[in-house]
Amino acid sequence: MLYLILLLPLAMAALSLIRNDRVRTVILSVGQALLLALLIAACTLGDTATPVWHMTADLTFSLRLDGLGRFFCLLTAVCWLLTIPYASVYMTHEGHHPRFYAFLMLTEAAVLGAALAADLVTLYLFYELTTLLSFPLVLHTQRPKALLGAVKYLYYSVCGGFIALFGVVLLAQQSSLAFLRGGYFQTLSPTLLAASFLMLLGFGAKAGLYPLHNWLPSAHPVAPAPAHALLSGIIAKVGAIAAIRVIYFTVGAEALRGTWVQTVCIVLTLVTIFMGSFMGCTENGLKKRLAYSSISQISYVLLGVFLMTPVGLLGGLLQLLFHALAKIGVFQSAGSIIFLTGTETIDGFPGLGRRIPVTMGCFAALALSLVGIPPFGGFFSKWYLALGALDGMSAPLCYIIPAVLLISALLTAAYLFPPLCRAFFPGQDFPAQSRVREPLLLVLSLALFAAASLILGLLSGITVPVMEHITGSIL
């Protein structure tokens, strides 16, 4: 069944090559719904694994569906399902539709493979495939800026992959590479500490961890909206999934806690969080501002992982969930704004609330979640991250981390709320502008992402215990 989960997106990628756009949309939507149903059925069977395939005596390939894999696979399938109808409308003004959808589905297969990996070799294989298969999505328009953004994305991701590979090679000399809950070590030698840091830094490149973050502001603005929405919401999170596997299933959180590796990784996430939020305030381009926001928001997930405590990890997983829903919706809203009105900068926001009210209403709701305003889901992830820092870290980090989280939230509000205010309240002297027709499939996708972020926040009494159960399956 686990191989079937990977084969179904591959089959959809092949079917994407048909020329009829309407038929392709129906096939992909039905196929994605079948994939989601298959994943739900697989989740009811509990933890399952495939036989280990020995590529060599030391290199293996194997899949396993555990708590973390179930969570990320379901989230991936849902986000792809909601994105396909949106893409069917948005991509009408873009060319090369079969190629775009083929690589979109191939990328989903690679992301699912990374979530299902049962050892570091398999994880590394799918990590690199995720980069190579999503690269054409960034390059899709083939304009000069798209070429530059795609090359930077490839360069940083592959460099990060090689850094991580060096760590994997060092680790392989002293440990099995198969994942084991709790990890293999109680104490770490200098070599193992170096290997751990190299793996976390290298895999962190996919998540935009400083100093390997600079691809995001270049790659996000040039990719089509459906692609860069998934790139931020799901694909970049493969780096966070890899970090969880390294810490909690290979090296061991108990062994890493309190070491220089943990301290340096937390400092890097704090630098990334602040820098991304600050740069978002300075950028006038809509998509580039949101790209800097992604740098900051994804590092919240890494921060929770690097805290290495149950509460901190819970906050990181909640952030992974709610940021995926909010950021995909926000990026799709930005794509709709550009598609429907031609507005590409923040200066063009005045009056948009009257021209495209549904799109801007969804944008505003999702922005509330990104800032962390209750009852939206983003509030709960940031709350548990702060609690995890206060409970699990010693001074001065236990005070610095909540302070940086608060400053980042204020900066996020500073670059999201003023443009929204101008969109809905442009002033009495602002000339009246005609309302633009908003296609149903565009606003439906945005509304579903906004509703999911709100409903899961309102149902926090259910959402948080479910995420606590997933956290318990990791620790």
Side-chain angles (χ1 to χ4, degrees):
M1 179 175 284
L2 298 187
Y3 287 124
L4 185 59
I5 291 173
L6 301 184
L7 290 175
L8 191 52
L10 296 180
M12 287 189 281
L15 293 174
S16 298
L17 298 177
I18 64 174
R19 295 293 178 179
N20 190 304
D21 290 341
R22 182 171 297 180
V23 173
R24 183 195 307 111
T25 300
V26 172
I27 291 175
L28 293 183
S29 298
V30 172
Q32 196 63 36
L34 289 175
L35 175 61
L36 181 59
L38 178 63
L39 281 168
I40 293 173
C43 291
T44 62
L45 301 177
D47 289 2
T48 55
T50 63
V52 178
W53 171 41
H54 288 273
M55 296 180 283
T56 68
D58 300 318
L59 301 180
T60 60
F61 179 91
S62 57
L63 304 176
R64 182 178 64 188
L65 185 64
D66 58 5
L68 179 63
R70 284 192 288 270
F71 164 60
F72 196 63
C73 285
L74 287 172
L75 180 62
T76 298
V78 168
C79 290
W80 247 264
L81 178 61
L82 296 180
T83 298
I84 289 172
Y86 174 92
S88 69
V89 178
Y90 179 88
M91 293 300 295
T92 54
H93 73 292
E94 301 276 2
H96 307 290
H97 296 173
R99 184 187 69 196
F100 173 83
Y101 286 103
F103 279 105
L104 189 70
M105 303 316 298
L106 288 172
T107 301
E108 183 187 22
V111 172
L112 293 173
L116 294 172
D119 58 70
L120 267 177
V121 175
T122 307
L123 174 63
Y124 182 81
L125 172 65
F126 282 112
Y127 175 91
E128 293 288 41
L129 282 176
T130 301
T131 298
L132 297 176
L133 295 173
S134 59
F135 168 77
L137 299 176
V138 181
L139 184 61
H140 181 77
T141 64
Q142 302 180 57
R143 300 188 184 102
K145 287 186 177 180
L147 177 60
L148 176 61
V151 168
K152 289 183 73 172
Y153 170 56
L154 186 64
Y155 173 78
Y156 277 92
S157 296
V158 170
C159 281
F162 279 124
I163 293 172
L165 179 61
F166 188 43
V168 172
V169 172
L170 291 177
L171 179 67
Q173 298 174 352
Q174 303 186 44
S175 169
S176 169
L177 298 181
F179 294 142
L180 175 68
R181 181 180 172 185
Y184 288 97
F185 302 100
Q186 297 298 320
T187 58
L188 298 175
S189 66
T191 300
L192 287 172
L193 286 172
S196 302
F197 178 70
L198 289 172
M199 288 186 289
L200 294 175
L201 178 64
F203 288 133
K206 181 75 73 181
L209 180 66
Y210 179 88
L212 301 175
H213 66 284
N214 204 36
W215 63 269
L216 278 95
S218 299
H220 279 285
V222 298
H228 70 71
L230 291 172
L231 188 64
S232 174
I234 297 295
I235 299 171
K237 306 290 176 50
V238 171
I241 296 298
I244 292 175
R245 294 300 191 186
V246 169
I247 294 173
Y248 298 93
F249 291 87
T250 306
V251 180
E254 291 295 331
L256 280 172
R257 189 177 297 120
T259 65
W260 65 267
V261 174
Q262 183 190 29
T263 303
V264 172
C265 287
I266 288 177
V267 170
L268 290 178
T269 59
L270 295 178
V271 171
T272 312
I273 288 170
F274 176 78
M275 178 195 61
S277 300
F278 177 78
M279 293 301 296
C281 295
T282 65
E283 183 56 52
N284 189 47
L286 174 57
K287 293 173 76 172
K288 201 164 186 178
R289 177 173 289 200
L290 294 177
Y292 280 117
S293 171
S294 291
I295 293 175
S296 175
Q297 294 282 330
I298 297 173
S299 281
Y300 279 80
V301 181
L302 293 178
L303 175 62
V305 174
F306 294 153
L307 287 175
M308 302 182 193
T309 63
V311 178
L313 181 58
L314 172 62
L317 292 178
L318 285 170
Q319 175 69 8
L320 193 156
L321 168 64
F322 289 122
H323 175 261
L325 298 174
K327 187 50 67 75
I328 292 175
V330 162
F331 267 121
Q332 289 186 356
S333 298
S336 295
I337 291 169
I338 297 171
F339 175 62
L340 298 174
T341 69
T343 301
E344 297 185 3
T345 64
I346 300 301
D347 293 337
F349 262 52
L352 286 182
R354 300 176 182 177
R355 299 186 66 192
I356 45 174
V358 180
T359 299
M360 293 307 299
C362 293
F363 189 102
L366 293 162
L368 292 173
S369 184
L370 288 177
V371 174
I373 304 297
F376 286 89
F379 166 78
F380 298 97
S381 59
K382 295 169 177 61
W383 175 262
Y384 282 102
L385 285 173
L387 289 181
L390 291 172
D391 291 342
M393 301 301 298
S394 58
L397 281 178
C398 66
Y399 304 114
I400 294 175
I401 293 173
V404 172
L405 295 178
L406 177 59
I407 294 171
S408 175
L410 294 174
L411 289 173
T412 304
Y415 63 70
L416 288 177
F417 288 169
L420 286 170
C421 291
R422 292 197 296 271
F424 288 99
F425 307 102
Q428 295 181 349
D429 298 332
F430 189 80
Q433 294 179 314
S434 59
R435 180 171 175 176
V436 177
R437 176 182 171 274
E438 302 171 86
L440 175 62
L441 290 179
L442 286 185
V443 297
L444 180 61
S445 179
L446 305 181
L448 288 173
F449 279 111
S453 185
L454 176 60
I455 292 172
L456 290 178
L458 290 171
L459 298 177
S460 59
I462 299 175
T463 306
V464 173
V466 170
M467 299 307 295
E468 286 178 334
H469 176 72
I470 297 172
T471 303
S473 71
I474 296 173
L475 296 173

